[in-house]
Amino acid sequence: MKLRGRTVVLYGDFWEIERESAIRRLQALGVRLADEVTEETDLIFLAPGERGPIPRTDAMLRTPYLDEDALIGMLEREESVAPPAAAPPRPFLPASELAGAQGSGAVYALLDGADWSAFTPERDVPPLRARLAELERAEGVTDAHRLATRRLIDAGVARLLQPYGHDTEIIAHAMSPDGRYLATGSWVGDDYDAGGVLQIWEVATGRCVNTVRRIEGGIGWPGYQRTIQWSADSSRIAMAHCTNMVGVWTFDGERLATIDVSDGNSRPSEFALSPDGRSVYFHCGTNGDGGLQGCIVPLDRGRLRWLPNHVETDHPYLMARRLPEAVRDDFAQRDDGDGEWKVGQWIDDPVWSPDGTRLFGANAISVDARTREVVWYAPGKFARLSPDGSLVAAVTRRGLFLRDASTGRIRCGPFALGKPVSLHWAPGRVINRLAVLTPPTGTAETGGVHVFDDDRLVFSAQVPHSGWGDREGDHNAWAWAPGGERAAFLNIEGSAEIWSFADPANPRLLQSVLAGGADTVYWGADDTLVLLDDVVMQFVKVETGKVIGDFYSLYVPPGPRPVEGELVEKFEGQVFALDEDNWAMTLQPDAVIAPEGSEDELDSLLAWGVGRRHAWPVRWGELRVLPDALTAADVLDSEDGELLREYREEVEEMDGDEPAEWPPPNTASVDDLFEAARGSLADLDRYSWGSHIGDHLRAAARLRARHGEPEAAMILVGDIPEPADRLAAASDVAVILARAGDTRSARTAFSLAQSLSPSVDQKMFEADRSASFGAACQALGETGTAEQWFQHARASITIEPNAWQDHVAVMHSMLECGRDDLVRALLDDRAGHPSGSFFSEAEWLVFLLRTGRLDLAREFQSLPGWDVPYEVLTVLAEHGRADLMETWGNHNWAIGDELVELARRGTPPFRPPTPTDQDVRELARRYAGIQGIPHSQREHPIEQLIESAAECGHITAVLDLLELLPERGDFNDRPSSAFGAIWLLYTGFNRPPF
């Protein structure tokens, strides 16, 4: 969308561009500036930190929101402000002199006298690296190699890189259009906030040259394809990330722009990056009248937020609502719709034409990118655009057609080839060449390949390719070499076969290389094949079959890493598995912690990344191999060495630790576990997590009070940050203690509640808190006051957002203080019953059963919309009520043998339990299994093991495992598991109890 002639609203004070300057420049472009958003507003620009107008009207929801970066970028483009032309960089070293230098001595002298301040990696690395490679073949690694490496390090353009940057499986990958680079992406691990990882690989050298971490929300999504895309000049990389957003990054790893226009899709949407990398087609539902769906939005600079599905009229970003009648008829036939509402049609698996004027879909649709109108549509199963943009190969039920990309007219076909499964155009050819893969048939067990030159079928044969199979995500069984004279394909026997199609009528097998379990093959620069799946990647030279890079990304050696704890985060991305037995760690600028004698193995894995574009062999430098972190702290004169020295005590402690037998002896007490739970809350933001903190501490205080521990209960009450929640918790404790006969302690708790009451805003006395305070008044003899609070509680009951929540909270307090009559009156008020159930009915029904109120539990169980949770069946079995267990559970549960046996015994378990020898063995077995899981994927298994340890009463194991969980300021990390262990110990269920 151009700025000129648009109506714009600015919000806030901008940081990089003064507001008045922005206004003058916008007005000079003919932009209409308004103070408020109306139906006529086209764009809203937000200053940093601004949220825009609140509340948002319908007009505001339909208007694109952009940030300051986007505003500056749009102004510069429309003002045609070009950056000043930079003077050509002076030469680092004349290429002719480098090529003509004879022997290592001459090369050394040239490099020693070179102007390294003028070194430009993109220009200077290829010839320098080629000359040094030639020199190595002649003389081995020389002083010239070592001098060049040291100069690159000193210039700050070389960084030591290890290949295992992905913490989880690779789920996305894409080759750059020039074939020089491969981008691989991973999704999130257990730590969602750590994001995903992008790695850039130089194909010709088989080495990683850049790793970009903390991609928000991870890259792509498991099972989704084409979530990484390159611009035509291989300078920009677009990625689906954060579930439903698309961003574009520079080659160096700088994020330039992001769009958020899906209105909360739970999965990535298909998209297509334009050839110039500055706009994107995004696959979203927009036109509800049967028009073409999706939008084309800028992805050049800054952030765009927009809700296109709220737009009810034409919009410059939206695809056209107007459709040719024939196309609309075709859409209508293919779309069932929803009554009179038609969802329209998509551009499936979209791609741009090379010149950026058209969009094409795998559903054989062509769309003008300027007008956003359908040019032609030929319904079929799938289609692919040729590299030069002139032909479309389309598969229909009748067979394969070749169509003119401009008009959609059939050039030839149909060809009955046996249900094609994939189409592969050869790049870089004057005459378009297409490979069509077909699956096995009743008479052909291996499937086939059919080769077309333009509109002529020139070859058909049975080949054992693996190009069929219902696989999701990025995978590719066929790869043409640039020019289309050769091709590689994965066969069903686990190899990659390389064929020559120089004579397409008589192709011949050149060679075969092992491919393991690879599901994708790429043919990249310097005749290098890339074979990969989600954890394995190989780089193989076509001519020799030599493997120049072989990586398995998820090795987990059994011993400790070179650093642990907080230092792992400090050295993020530098610790890696050298092999299945040993850890290693890169240390900038030129050291690595690894076993003695591993130089050759390190040379096969590591490289200095120069300018984030080129790999420099580590054997050409003086790589220092160090045995451990303590040695590195002593000898490294670098930032990494300084960091190790800063944490020397932790490193020394780790170095002296011998792996202990696990689990340790069960010597911890429940007091220790409560203290751990309290400590886990220390770094949480009270504003963000106050409700969770209050609810869990309140439940924990009730537990301690029920077990006759008033002092411990009041310590927990005192930790509650919100006074209103602290009042409710103190009231709960007072009631429990008073009913148990500890009047003195109950009076102390009640006094705290009374003292807090004047400071609590009356609006905070909702149904739950009012009933709790009323119950305390009742239990301590203030019956008149109690009656008033109970009346207030009943009047405060709401049914939003959780239908029975307030009812149950009020009845719970009434039962605790002995006012069963009030509970019966409330329950008998059928007119006041909400429809639907209470999402926490399990804890409520368990409370009723365990306090002997079977009649009330039975009544709640019979209410419309209430289910019987499995926890309730467990409690019935513990009390020997097999009759109720069967009748209550038969409508929605299968009663397992373990419950039948429990009901036969009819003995409630002792709480907290004591672990048996078998429990200890099982915990040890599962703990050992976790040690073989990548660290980024251990959090959930550790949480599950904590639950198992708590269920059997091994408190020391629980405490030990809690230390392995992160402390990220998120209640769902360590705090959730700590309190869950308490619930399991005392109740057998991982829920805050009543």
Side-chain angles (χ1 to χ4, degrees):
M1 184 190 298
K2 296 288 188 181
L3 285 171
R4 195 176 303 276
R6 301 296 179 186
T7 299
V8 167
V9 177
L10 304 179
Y11 279 94
D13 295 321
F14 298 98
W15 292 1
E16 293 186 39
I17 181 174
E18 292 184 0
R19 183 183 178 90
E20 293 304 316
S21 173
I23 291 173
R24 287 195 302 272
R25 292 169 67 179
L26 287 167
Q27 290 174 335
L29 289 173
V31 173
R32 295 183 293 272
L33 289 164
D35 295 327
E36 296 181 353
V37 179
T38 65
E39 295 287 344
E40 285 71 41
T41 303
D42 295 305
L43 296 169
I44 297 172
F45 289 100
L46 302 178
E50 281 286 338
R51 296 177 58 197
I54 302 294
R56 295 183 178 177
T57 65
D58 288 343
M60 295 170 188
L61 292 175
R62 294 192 290 268
T63 306
Y65 283 54
L66 297 105
D67 65 4
E68 182 178 11
D69 277 346
L71 171 61
I72 295 172
M74 294 175 77
L75 282 170
E76 289 178 351
R77 282 192 300 279
E78 294 202 34
E79 293 169 341
S80 300
V81 176
R90 61 186 184 277
F92 142 76
L93 187 68
S96 59
E97 292 185 20
L98 181 63
Q102 298 298 313
S104 59
V107 173
Y108 183 97
L110 274 176
L111 296 177
D112 192 33
D115 182 4
W116 288 90
S117 65
F119 188 88
T120 303
E122 184 67 5
R123 177 195 65 188
D124 295 327
V125 167
L128 176 58
R129 189 174 57 184
R131 181 65 185 93
L132 289 176
E134 181 184 1
L135 182 61
E136 183 186 16
R137 289 190 292 270
E139 301 183 34
V141 176
T142 70
D143 287 344
H145 295 87
R146 288 184 280 272
L147 174 64
T149 305
R150 178 50 54 188
R151 291 288 193 268
L152 292 173
I153 292 173
D154 292 344
V157 296
R159 183 172 181 82
L160 188 60
L161 296 176
Q162 54 94 359
Y164 300 123
H166 293 298
D167 301 318
T168 61
E169 290 81 359
I170 297 169
I171 66 167
H173 41 79
M175 182 75 79
S176 64
D178 59 14
R180 296 171 60 194
Y181 299 100
L182 179 76
T184 57
S186 52
W187 199 42
V188 293
D190 287 339
D191 182 1
Y192 182 86
D193 292 334
V197 176
L198 171 73
Q199 285 192 269
I200 307 296
W201 305 77
E202 188 180 35
V203 173
T205 61
R207 294 293 183 272
C208 174
V209 293
N210 195 19
T211 298
V212 184
R213 295 187 167 274
R214 300 195 172 272
I215 305 294
E216 181 185 6
I219 297 171
W221 196 278
Y224 281 70
Q225 64 179 352
R226 296 188 66 232
T227 55
I228 296 178
Q229 297 177 28
W230 293 79
S231 61
D233 65 359
S234 302
S235 67
R236 290 181 168 218
I237 306 168
M239 293 180 283
H241 70 104
C242 203
T243 303
N244 50 38
M245 297 164 62
V246 173
V248 66
W249 275 254
T250 67
F251 197 103
D252 294 337
E254 175 192 359
R255 184 165 69 173
L256 296 174
T258 302
I259 62 166
D260 181 4
V261 299
S262 75
D263 199 13
N265 282 358
S266 62
R267 294 294 186 273
S269 290
E270 292 182 351
F271 71 95
L273 182 68
S274 62
D276 66 3
R278 284 171 165 76
S279 60
V280 64
Y281 166 79
F282 190 80
H283 195 93
C284 58
T286 51
N287 294 328
D289 66 348
L292 192 64
Q293 307 299 291
C295 58
I296 299 176
V297 293
L299 189 62
D300 184 19
R301 182 171 173 179
R303 181 178 178 123
L304 166 66
R305 287 175 292 168
W306 184 38
L307 300 177
N309 56 326
H310 286 255
V311 179
E312 298 173 353
T313 59
D314 288 334
H315 190 281
Y317 287 162
L318 293 182
M319 310 312 288
R321 296 178 183 274
R322 301 174 303 280
L323 295 172
E325 285 304 315
V327 172
R328 185 175 288 275
D329 291 343
D330 281 333
F331 283 4
Q333 292 174 15
R334 292 168 57 83
D335 180 18
D336 295 333
D338 180 12
E340 296 182 356
W341 190 78
K342 296 289 185 181
V343 299
Q345 185 59 284
W346 309 93
I347 306 175
D348 290 336
D349 194 9
V351 298
W352 291 76
S353 62
D355 62 5
T357 63
R358 294 274 187 98
L359 277 160
F360 291 86
N363 50 340
I365 192 168
S366 172
V367 178
D368 186 298
R370 184 183 62 83
T371 65
R372 294 165 171 75
E373 295 182 350
V374 176
V375 179
W376 57 264
Y377 177 50
K381 292 184 176 180
F382 62 95
R384 292 289 183 270
L385 178 69
S386 65
D388 67 357
S390 66
L391 289 177
V392 172
V395 176
T396 72
R397 291 174 181 165
R398 296 172 56 199
L400 174 74
F401 290 89
L402 292 172
R403 295 179 177 271
D404 184 285
S406 298
T407 64
R409 291 177 181 172
I410 296 173
R411 289 267 296 267
C412 60
F415 296 92
L417 302 176
K419 298 182 179 179
V421 293
S422 60
L423 305 172
H424 305 269
W425 289 99
R429 286 183 59 82
V430 176
I431 298 176
N432 283 307
R433 176 165 286 177
L434 172 71
V436 182
L437 302 190
T438 55
T441 64
T443 58
E445 296 181 356
T446 63
V449 60
H450 312 271
V451 177
F452 288 80
D453 279 350
D454 271 349
D455 53 5
R456 185 169 59 92
L457 177 62
V458 295
F459 170 73
S460 290
Q462 293 179 13
V463 293
H465 67 77
S466 61
W468 59 87
D470 187 18
R471 294 174 181 164
E472 297 180 328
D474 288 330
H475 63 88
N476 179 41
W478 183 281
W480 285 108
E485 299 297 308
R486 291 167 296 165
F489 64 84
L490 300 177
N491 67 27
I492 57 178
E493 297 172 349
S495 296
E497 295 190 5
I498 302 166
W499 286 71
S500 169
F501 287 89
D503 179 3
N506 297 289
R508 59 190 178 91
L509 175 65
L510 298 178
Q511 65 171 309
S512 178
V513 297
L514 292 177
D519 60 16
T520 296
V521 58
Y522 289 106
W523 195 309
D526 197 26
D527 274 351
T528 309
L529 292 186
V530 186
L531 305 167
L532 73 156
D533 61 17
D534 57 351
V535 294
V536 175
M537 186 182 308
Q538 281 192 335
F539 296 83
V540 182
K541 291 301 182 182
V542 171
E543 184 177 349
T544 63
K546 180 181 178 181
V547 177
I548 61 168
D550 189 357
F551 310 104
Y552 177 82
S553 62
L554 296 182
Y555 278 132
V556 185
R561 294 172 289 185
V563 294
E564 294 288 355
E566 187 176 349
L567 276 175
V568 173
E569 186 174 339
K570 298 287 185 182
F571 288 100
E572 184 179 40
Q574 294 177 233
V575 178
F576 66 100
L578 181 65
D579 50 40
E580 57 189 320
D581 298 315
N582 298 288
W583 288 104
M585 176 179 171
T586 58
L587 292 165
Q588 302 302 331
D590 57 3
V592 60
I593 296 174
E596 183 180 358
S598 58
E599 285 80 4
D600 289 344
E601 192 171 2
L602 291 169
D603 185 57
S604 70
L605 296 176
L606 305 183
W608 277 287
V610 182
R612 298 188 176 91
R613 282 172 168 76
H614 307 285
W616 192 267
V618 294
R619 64 182 179 276
W620 289 359
E622 297 172 299
L623 182 70
R624 290 182 281 178
V625 181
L626 307 173
D628 52 50
L630 280 176
T631 303
D634 291 334
V635 304
L636 286 186
D637 183 19
S638 65
E639 290 184 9
D640 282 358
E642 182 63 34
L643 186 57
L644 287 173
R645 287 188 286 277
E646 181 182 343
Y647 283 83
R648 179 181 289 276
E649 289 185 8
E650 289 87 338
V651 174
E652 289 175 341
E653 182 179 347
M654 186 198 72
D655 188 63
D657 285 346
E658 291 293 331
E661 185 177 346
W662 201 92
N666 189 30
T667 58
S669 68
V670 292
D671 289 335
D672 297 325
L673 181 55
F674 274 101
E675 283 305 302
R678 292 179 64 212
S680 71
L681 303 175
D683 295 328
L684 293 187
D685 175 42
R686 266 36 183 180
Y687 179 81
S688 301
W689 297 106
S691 175
H692 288 73
I693 294 170
D695 290 345
H696 283 70
L697 287 173
R698 183 179 174 187
R702 288 198 299 262
L703 270 180
R704 304 225 77 168
R706 291 193 200 285
H707 285 76
E709 299 165 327
E711 293 82 5
M714 292 307 294
I715 288 173
L716 293 166
V717 170
D719 287 345
I720 297 175
E722 173 59 52
D725 292 332
R726 196 156 62 248
L727 179 150
S731 299
D732 291 347
V733 170
V735 174
I736 293 168
L737 295 174
R739 297 280 285 177
D742 188 354
T743 306
R744 180 178 178 180
S745 298
R747 181 65 62 183
T748 299
F750 183 53
S751 296
L752 174 61
Q754 287 179 308
S755 68
L756 289 168
S757 180
S759 64
V760 175
D761 191 317
Q762 289 302 304
K763 288 188 256 186
M764 300 294 287
F765 277 106
E766 34 73 83
D768 180 10
R769 297 184 183 114
S770 298
S772 179
F773 189 58
C777 294
Q778 179 76 39
L780 273 301
E782 299 186 13
T783 55
T785 305
E787 199 66 39
Q788 295 174 4
W789 280 108
F790 285 141
Q791 291 177 6
H792 183 271
R794 286 199 61 170
S796 302
I797 288 175
T798 66
I799 60 172
E800 294 293 342
N802 193 349
W804 276 91
Q805 183 172 357
D806 281 355
H807 282 80
V808 167
V810 170
M811 286 189 277
H812 170 242
S813 293
M814 292 173 172
L815 289 177
E816 288 277 32
C817 70
R819 292 301 304 270
D820 294 40
D821 57 321
L822 295 179
V823 173
R824 177 54 58 192
L826 188 55
L827 193 56
D828 288 343
D829 181 15
R830 303 291 179 179
H833 286 190
S835 58
S837 64
F838 175 36
F839 81 89
S840 293
E841 66 265 26
E843 302 94 285
W844 173 237
L845 293 176
V846 165
F847 170 77
L848 294 177
L849 290 173
R850 284 185 168 167
T851 55
R853 297 179 171 95
L854 176 61
D855 56 334
L856 280 176
R858 192 194 304 270
E859 190 160 350
F860 272 97
Q861 181 267 327
S862 64
L863 286 171
W866 280 63
D867 291 325
V868 177
Y870 200 77
E871 293 91 331
V872 170
L873 302 185
T874 302
V875 175
L876 291 172
E878 290 172 355
H879 288 82
R881 294 303 303 265
D883 54 335
L884 290 179
M885 183 180 72
E886 293 286 348
T887 57
W888 286 28
N890 61 10
H891 67 291
N892 63 340
W893 292 108
I895 308 300
D897 292 341
E898 71 283 356
L899 276 188
V900 174
E901 176 60 23
L902 186 60
R904 186 189 66 76
R905 295 197 305 268
T907 304
F910 179 77
R911 298 284 176 194
T914 300
T916 65
D917 291 344
Q918 177 58 35
D919 290 332
V920 172
R921 287 193 294 272
E922 178 61 17
L923 292 175
R925 184 191 67 80
R926 291 177 57 187
Y927 181 84
I930 289 175
Q931 306 318 300
I933 299 174
H935 289 80
S936 65
Q937 300 177 38
R938 290 185 181 183
E939 186 173 338
H940 184 56
I942 289 172
E943 290 170 345
Q944 292 178 314
L945 189 55
I946 288 172
E947 292 180 3
S948 297
E951 286 174 336
C952 71
H954 204 309
I955 300 175
T956 302
V958 170
L959 295 174
D960 195 60
L961 292 167
L962 283 172
E963 291 297 319
L964 302 180
L965 292 179
E967 294 182 283
R968 298 182 293 230
D970 189 321
F971 187 91
N972 296 307
D973 291 332
R974 191 178 296 186
S976 178
S977 287
F979 280 98
I982 292 173
W983 314 146
L984 285 163
L985 273 172
Y986 279 90
T987 72
F989 308 121
N990 190 359
R991 298 168 182 262
F994 274 91

